Amino acid sequence: MLEIDGLGAAYGEAVVLRDVSLSVPAGRITALLGPNGAGKTTLVKAIARLIPISAGSVTLDGQDLQELPIHRVVEVGLAVVPEGRRLFTQMTVEENLQLGAFSKASRPQAKTTMDLVYDRFPRLKERSAQKAGTLSGGEQQMLALGRGLMAKPHYLLMDEPSLGLSPLLTTQMFELISSITELGVGVLLVEQNVAKTLEIADHGYVLEQGSIVQSGDREELLGSERIREAYLAL
């Protein structure tokens, strides 16, 4: 279980997150919903130790991540697929994937993991020698997701994976995200596409103005008048 308890974060004097608590079970998809500017990306960064927290704790299967050096966060099983993909555009698809397996825990299994990634993303295998910057937007997002899986994570934080994709590619991307749980990986999915997210999520939280204002399983959130009016336009 990835557990966030009472987490707070700020940029200087500007408080962004207040007393945020949520949990991400292994092998399940947990949605994080909310409007632009709610603090969702800040929360992803805080969980991954990319920015300091001012209060609370983050534990991964009982291990307090605040007690670890930052480079060890990946080693204990947490990986991030960041908003905007952040690929090395002048490097090949395969070189980008290899960089995902940089930790001591994932490096010995890199070849086996790459075969698994290529099996799930055959388009990447076809373009393994192609520079990442020449891929289509959908292919680049596949590569970002594949690179995250190369770290052999127990939990994967995904920030706006459908951003900039066509409706068809968005559907394909959500199908791929859903399939990740077959590997036993827990996913925290941050997404603006609420309808698609709630099709695949097991549980979800709503973050507004830096605080969790609602949570529930898929059926509860889909049946919520607040969710329907604010995020589904129903």
Side-chain angles (χ1 to χ4, degrees), residues 7-210:
L7 189 143
Y11 293 110
E13 298 295 319
V15 176
V16 180
L17 300 173
R18 304 171 185 81
D19 195 26
V20 173
S21 297
L22 58 88
S23 59
V24 182
R28 304 282 180 159
I29 295 176
T30 301
L32 182 64
L33 312 175
N36 288 330
K40 301 188 300 298
T41 294
T42 298
L43 179 56
V44 169
K45 291 179 178 179
I47 294 171
R49 296 281 315 277
L50 299 175
I51 61 171
I53 65 174
S54 56
S57 64
V58 179
T59 57
L60 190 156
D61 295 336
Q63 171 70 63
D64 187 347
L65 297 187
Q66 298 303 308
E67 296 178 348
L68 300 177
I70 292 177
H71 70 274
R72 289 214 57 222
V73 170
V74 175
E75 291 182 8
V76 298
L78 184 66
V80 181
V81 179
E83 181 181 3
R85 300 154 194 160
R86 308 287 178 84
L87 301 174
F88 294 93
T89 57
Q90 295 304 308
M91 299 177 71
T92 68
V93 167
E94 188 146 315
E95 287 168 340
N96 271 271
L97 291 175
Q98 289 169 343
L99 288 173
F102 70 88
S103 71
K104 289 181 180 179
S106 59
R107 206 176 303 142
Q109 304 174 64
K111 179 60 171 66
T112 301
T113 309
M114 188 173 296
D115 288 342
L116 183 149
V117 169
Y118 280 153
D119 182 60
R120 289 184 175 268
F121 305 105
R123 189 73 61 85
L124 296 183
K125 186 173 184 178
E126 294 170 6
R127 288 157 171 70
S128 61
Q130 190 171 324
K131 287 187 177 181
T134 66
L135 301 178
S136 68
E139 290 165 347
Q140 289 189 12
Q141 190 61 63
M142 288 179 195
L143 179 54
L145 178 50
R147 184 179 61 185
L149 292 175
M150 288 294 296
K152 297 287 290 182
H154 300 150
Y155 301 92
L156 189 62
L157 312 180
M158 301 192 68
D159 195 358
E160 303 289 358
S162 75
L163 187 66
L165 301 186
S166 69
L168 176 60
L169 288 175
T170 294
T171 297
Q172 293 174 350
M173 181 54 58
F174 275 89
E175 290 172 352
L176 290 170
I177 294 168
S178 184
S179 74
I180 291 173
T181 58
E182 298 170 5
L183 305 173
V185 177
V187 177
L188 180 63
L189 177 58
V190 178
E191 254 294 339
Q192 288 291 323
N193 192 327
V194 174
K196 286 288 188 185
T197 299
L198 291 180
E199 285 180 9
I200 66 172
D202 299 285
H203 196 89
Y205 298 84
V206 181
L207 186 71
E208 294 181 359
Q209 297 182 334

